[in-house]
Amino acid sequence: MAASGVLRAVLRQTLSRFGSFRWSLRHPRAAHSLSINTVRSQSNAVTSQPVEGSRCSACWVTVSGGGGGVLWAALAFSLFGSSEEDKRDEAQRKEDEMILLLKKAKLSVHRGQLQAASGFLHQAVVLAHQTHNNQAIIYTYSLAEKLFKAAMSFMLAGGTPQDDNAVIEMSLKLATIYAEQNKAELAEHGFRFCMESLEVKLEKHKEPLGEEPTEEQEALRKETRLLLGLCLDSRARYRASTLHLKQAGQDYQDALNICCQEQGETHPQTLVLMSDLATILDLQGHHDDALALVRRAVELSRSAGHPDLHVLLGNMAGILLHTGRLDDSLRFYQEALGLARQAADQEAVDRIQEGLKEVKERRRQEEEEAAATAQ
């Protein structure tokens, strides 16, 4: 949440959620907003974050294990380096949990249970990022890449069209994994394939003159458009991570328009996108526009009972901080902190506490400047 203007990677948020759609295609998913402090901090490094998505068609796939035995042994004994004594038990618990999740994911892949494997990988990558465990992150993304490649190969070999939404969704997951791995050319090609394929499909879905679409046709049109929104959302995060803020803002705006039209202004994902777009506007220096948008998101979130209200409040507090409104920023950070603790969202708690520290530091600086001026 620093006002330093230095961006830190945002793609981890995307990939940390690849176990299920943020967008309501066939089932809802919890929405997590891009936060100000997620895009401000770590100088010069663009370490990606995590992909979206989830709906995989049920299919059976066999993925060869290769030298998995050695890697599992290495992973089991070296997921964590030395830690402080008072954190040892918690670190060990997370290590054990991560290893178990990865084993379950690998077993699910061998059994062809792709959606279950995706869910286990989602949980594992969240833990890996929370503990800043690079070895576990790399291994998890590698396993996810094999999972989605195997699933796509199976589906295409079985006659599934290349422009089927399930194939496009997995292509999107792969594109964001490539972004995480800093494979820019593959990531950009993947995003471009997904966007172009969906746009062509939507042109075909346009209602013919004098004909009403069937219920099935309308459901497919909506699903395809929501998937396009998800692609825009994911590409926006990638563009923000590579400092292309103007393009990221346009993608967020387009995604927000789709979500409003298809799911309504009070849908949780609409509110998340409002907050995400506000984050980008704030990073571009458009603080007033950002504040107006995030305030609207918070107002709607309160009335709609948004499960991640604390994240939106934290974003608003960050924007208020950047505009110098320290008292308001402090108030909303404190409210966000209480809600984050109630929700047991430790990652949000940590981010909010970082913001509170910055408020305190800014106040100290202002007091020192006032004292120097008085002298």
Side-chain angles (χ1 to χ4, degrees), residues 27 45 73 105 152 193 205 209 216 223 243 282 293 321-322 361:
H27 57 272
M152 287 177 64
F193 164 77
H205 278 296
L209 291 175
E216 183 178 353
E223 179 181 282
L243 313 187
D282 182 66
L293 189 59
L321 172 60
H322 304 154
E361 177 62 20

Side-chain angles (χ1 to χ4, degrees), residues 120-316:
F120 291 134
L121 287 170
H122 163 59
Q123 296 175 62
V125 83
V126 168
L127 278 176
H129 276 288
Q130 286 177 351
T131 55
H132 309 290
N133 192 314
N134 289 333
Q135 184 179 2
I137 291 169
I138 291 169
Y139 181 78
T140 304
Y141 287 139
S142 176
L143 188 58
E145 181 183 358
K146 291 177 182 177
L147 164 69
F148 297 129
K149 281 183 174 179
M152 287 177 64
S153 296
F154 181 89
M155 293 176 70
L156 293 171
T160 302
Q162 188 173 348
D163 68 348
D164 185 89
N165 282 356
V167 174
I168 295 173
E169 180 193 334
M170 280 184 268
S171 297
L172 175 60
K173 293 174 182 180
L174 281 170
T176 317
I177 290 172
Y178 291 139
E180 162 64 27
Q181 296 169 332
N182 293 320
K183 298 177 181 177
E185 186 175 351
L186 289 173
E188 289 166 5
H189 176 78
F191 286 126
R192 186 165 56 252
F193 164 77
C194 293
M195 301 286 292
E196 291 175 355
S197 299
L198 290 167
E199 286 166 355
V200 169
K201 285 187 72 172
L202 286 169
E203 281 296 317
K204 294 178 182 178
H205 278 296
K206 284 187 176 178
E207 181 181 340
L209 291 175
E211 291 185 24
E212 287 290 329
T214 65
E215 185 175 333
E216 183 178 353
Q217 288 173 331
E218 174 58 20
L220 182 57
R221 182 208 63 79
K222 181 173 182 177
E223 179 181 282
T224 302
R225 196 150 187 256
L226 286 171
L227 184 52
L228 176 60
L230 178 61
C231 289
L232 287 161
D233 183 6
S234 300
R235 190 175 69 175
R237 292 175 184 276
Y238 171 64
R239 286 177 161 178
S241 76
T242 54
L243 313 187
H244 294 96
L245 298 183
K246 183 177 180 180
Q247 295 93 325
Q250 186 59 60
D251 278 349
Y252 273 128
Q253 184 64 67
D254 292 343
L256 177 58
N257 291 342
I258 289 174
C259 201
C260 279
Q261 292 163 10
E262 299 293 342
Q263 303 191 120
E265 190 180 37
T266 60
H267 189 276
Q269 181 56 39
T270 303
L271 303 180
V272 165
L273 287 167
M274 284 184 184
S275 182
D276 289 353
L277 179 55
T279 296
I280 297 299
L281 291 170
D282 182 66
L283 290 168
Q284 291 178 292
H286 306 311
H287 303 305
D288 291 340
D289 291 339
L291 186 56
L293 189 59
V294 78
R295 271 183 172 156
R296 177 64 175 160
V298 167
E299 289 170 2
L300 291 171
S301 179
R302 289 190 193 278
S303 63
H306 193 295
D308 285 340
L309 174 60
H310 59 283
V311 177
L312 306 188
L313 285 167
N315 281 0
M316 184 164 72

Side-chain angles (χ1 to χ4, degrees), residues 31 41 273 347:
S41 134
L273 287 167
E347 186 176 358

Side-chain angles (χ1 to χ4, degrees), residues 1-9 35-45 283 354 358:
M1 299 189 192
S4 61
V6 182
L7 293 181
R8 145 181 139 188
S35 65
I36 295 291
N37 70 313
T38 303
V39 284
R40 293 178 178 273
S41 134
Q42 216 173 345
S43 57
N44 296 328
L283 290 168
E354 289 174 12
E358 187 173 350

Side-chain angles (χ1 to χ4, degrees), residues 52-90:
E52 304 286 316
S54 133
R55 184 182 58 83
C56 294
S57 301
C59 49
W60 294 87
V61 182
T62 301
V63 179
S64 60
V70 175
L71 183 52
W72 277 114
L75 191 64
F77 290 101
S78 62
L79 281 180
F80 287 86
S82 59
S83 62
E84 297 175 12
E85 188 63 33
D86 59 347
K87 296 180 180 178
R88 186 178 183 84
D89 290 343
E90 178 66 12

